[in-house]
Amino acid sequence: MVLKPALSKCTMSTSAASSLGTKPKPGSTYPIKNLKTMQDFATELNQPLLKKGHTILIDQIPCFQSGVIVSHQGTHVWDSHHVKLPHLYPPPESPNKSHSPPSHWDVTCCALHNLTKGNNSIGDVQTAIMSYNSNNKDRWTFDALFLYGRHLHAKDNNLHLLIPNMAKLALDLPDLITQPIPLLQQQQNLAITMSQQQISCLLANAFFCTFPHRNDTKPSSEYANFPTINFSSLFADEKDPAKLAQKAQKLRAIFHYFNTVTNKSDNQDPAIPDGLVTFERTSIQKPQLPKWKKQKKTLTNLHISSEGSIEHEGTGMLQVEFASNYIGGGVLGSGLVQEEILFFMSPELIVARLFTEKLADNECLKITGPQMYSFTSGYSKTFSWVGPYNDCMKRDNWKRRYRQIVAIDALDFKNPKDQYTKENIKRELNKVFVGYHGDVKTAIATGNWGCGAFNGDPKLKALIQLMAAAVAGRDMAYFTAGNKELAKEIQRMHEILTINKVTVGKLYKLLKKFCGNYTHESGSPIDLYKFIREKIGQKDHLL
């Protein structure tokens, strides 16, 4: 889903008390204004951040007592549990070695310092990046970056100032990141909070492809289980001219982001973003996952609409990101569906690729506080950058915006029939529950999760999400991306299940029965919702 162009409009949040489980008025959807948002839980969100497994890259006391964000001082390490930072590469062979050749970071600094002088061409950017990535000289191309320079730079007309500012930002790395950044590895409950300025510095280094050990994507490589982070694949050629043009549109969003975070104010001081963003990996082990057939809860309130979007109308709710198990999916490649578009609207999300290992079936990633920077339009082949987005979202005491995104990855069904098995339904229920679980019970803003390229059945995926939301104790806002008929069908199914007080456990058993009766004797599929109505004694002629 994407935001509609309305460049002067700020994102605001309206909420009122919700009563979970209240029977909806027949024939109507639950009012979205009654769904709880993050502002309803300000007290909980303003609690101290420091807790076990939470790394905070800034000093909390100076930051919030004096209004100045100060990087927390720590001792850097070079190991398999932390991000290997460019300015530490390669690690010194001996602390007493006196006549060593220039380090990789020395070479990088020299190239980036040259870019700070200004009047750079795209070719200069390529030369700088390749000076410290010579091992990739026969693999890396910069066609998308050159296409941007030829056709779109005239519209934006700021690279002569922006590239030097981005280079300066990248060079600030040793001063801004002064403690180790842990890797959010599988089966761990860990969190990282960092400032927006620190994020922008890390992303500037990603743009200039400075991160070591992150270019080898072979299955046996050190970071094979992590997404890529260096931007080389975004700059690369595409055989399809349309995909190459899409990458140029992606670059417009990226350059707008960097223009925003490096922009000069009237007094010539950088307009440094002053908020914080938290990235939290959650894993729930099998014994703690719900026993679905035993669940006694009934469905919670549902607002459903064919209009609106998760990102706009779902503001302040827990917004579902239809993720790849490698966070960000094809954001730095040719991908342009819901996940990638969201990452270009809010590029701070891209930094999660630096430290988030591939998500397992019992895991999710939650991001709290990211800023929205851009309006976009279109989807996949029709995607384009529209213009700046003025993010007026209120913030908690930790300067995190009241915006929370949860990344959950659906199964990819090459054969759509494969989703109608007990094992796959249980996997999807567990995955969604991990994402929806939490102490802060904001409403869920979601849609047709896993129903595009992954071939999911929207009717089944809607029920799975409603069941998980009920067990997690959350209401839901569901947006069907323009599909009016689907919205009506889901609304009607929700109403029938609510009126008949069908529990999550009973619905789970019905889904299992459906899996055994997926097709008629003729081989044609049975309609899921009709099957459920018949099993609970709700006749179609009574609807």
Side-chain angles (χ1 to χ4, degrees), residues 229-251:
I229 184 61
N230 290 325
F231 277 35
S232 55
S233 55
L234 182 58
F235 303 149
D237 188 12
E238 291 282 352
K239 293 180 180 179
D240 183 350
K243 289 185 176 181
L244 192 62
Q246 289 166 10
K247 281 190 172 182
Q249 289 295 326
K250 289 182 175 185
L251 285 167

Side-chain angles (χ1 to χ4, degrees), residues 488-503:
K488 289 179 182 178
E489 289 191 81
I490 296 173
Q491 164 66 24
R492 183 173 63 171
M493 186 78 264
H494 178 270
E495 184 175 339
I496 290 170
L497 293 170
T498 303
I499 290 172
N500 287 276
K501 298 180 180 179
V502 176
T503 64

Side-chain angles (χ1 to χ4, degrees), residues 290-474:
K291 304 296 186 289
W292 292 102
K293 65 181 180 181
K294 297 182 179 180
Q295 295 302 311
K296 302 298 183 183
K297 293 185 177 179
T298 54
L299 300 187
T300 51
N301 294 316
L302 171 67
H303 170 85
I304 190 163
S305 176
S306 61
E307 300 177 352
S309 69
I310 296 170
E311 297 83 7
H312 192 191
E313 280 71 19
T315 294
M317 303 178 196
L318 179 62
Q319 299 176 326
V320 178
E321 187 234 301
F322 305 167
S324 162
N325 51 10
Y326 288 91
I327 194 73
V331 64
L332 299 182
S334 56
L336 262 176
V337 289
Q338 192 252 17
E339 178 175 30
E340 292 87 357
I341 292 172
L342 179 61
F343 275 52
F344 286 110
M345 295 164 69
S346 187
E348 289 164 345
L349 302 176
I350 297 173
V351 80
R353 295 170 65 88
L354 178 62
F355 43 74
T356 306
E357 191 175 8
K358 177 183 177 182
L359 296 175
D361 287 346
N362 63 328
E363 297 182 310
C364 73
L365 181 72
K366 286 181 182 175
I367 304 105
T368 304
Q371 182 172 336
M372 199 77 77
Y373 290 85
S374 289
F375 279 103
T376 68
S377 67
Y379 185 87
S380 189
K381 294 180 180 180
T382 62
F383 171 82
S384 65
W385 182 80
V386 173
Y389 179 79
N390 182 22
D391 195 340
C392 302
M393 175 58 64
K394 293 182 179 180
R395 298 192 270 183
D396 63 20
N397 286 354
W398 306 107
K399 299 187 178 180
R400 298 178 301 179
R401 283 171 171 78
Y402 284 123
R403 179 176 291 112
Q404 189 173 61
I405 294 164
V406 59
I408 49 175
D409 53 295
L411 289 173
D412 186 355
F413 296 110
K414 305 300 181 186
N415 182 350
K417 292 182 180 180
D418 291 342
Q419 65 193 297
Y420 305 108
T421 68
K422 181 184 81 170
E423 293 76 20
N424 285 337
I425 287 175
K426 190 173 182 180
R427 187 273 181 192
E428 301 293 69
L429 278 166
N430 287 339
K431 170 63 73 167
V432 177
F433 175 77
V434 172
Y436 292 2
H437 175 73
D439 294 331
V440 177
K441 304 295 186 182
T442 56
I444 307 295
T446 190
N448 301 330
W449 172 68
C451 297
F454 285 7
N455 293 315
D457 176 357
K459 292 184 179 181
L460 175 60
K461 282 291 169 52
L463 288 183
I464 286 171
Q465 293 187 82
L466 284 166
M467 292 163 70
V471 177
R474 294 178 185 256

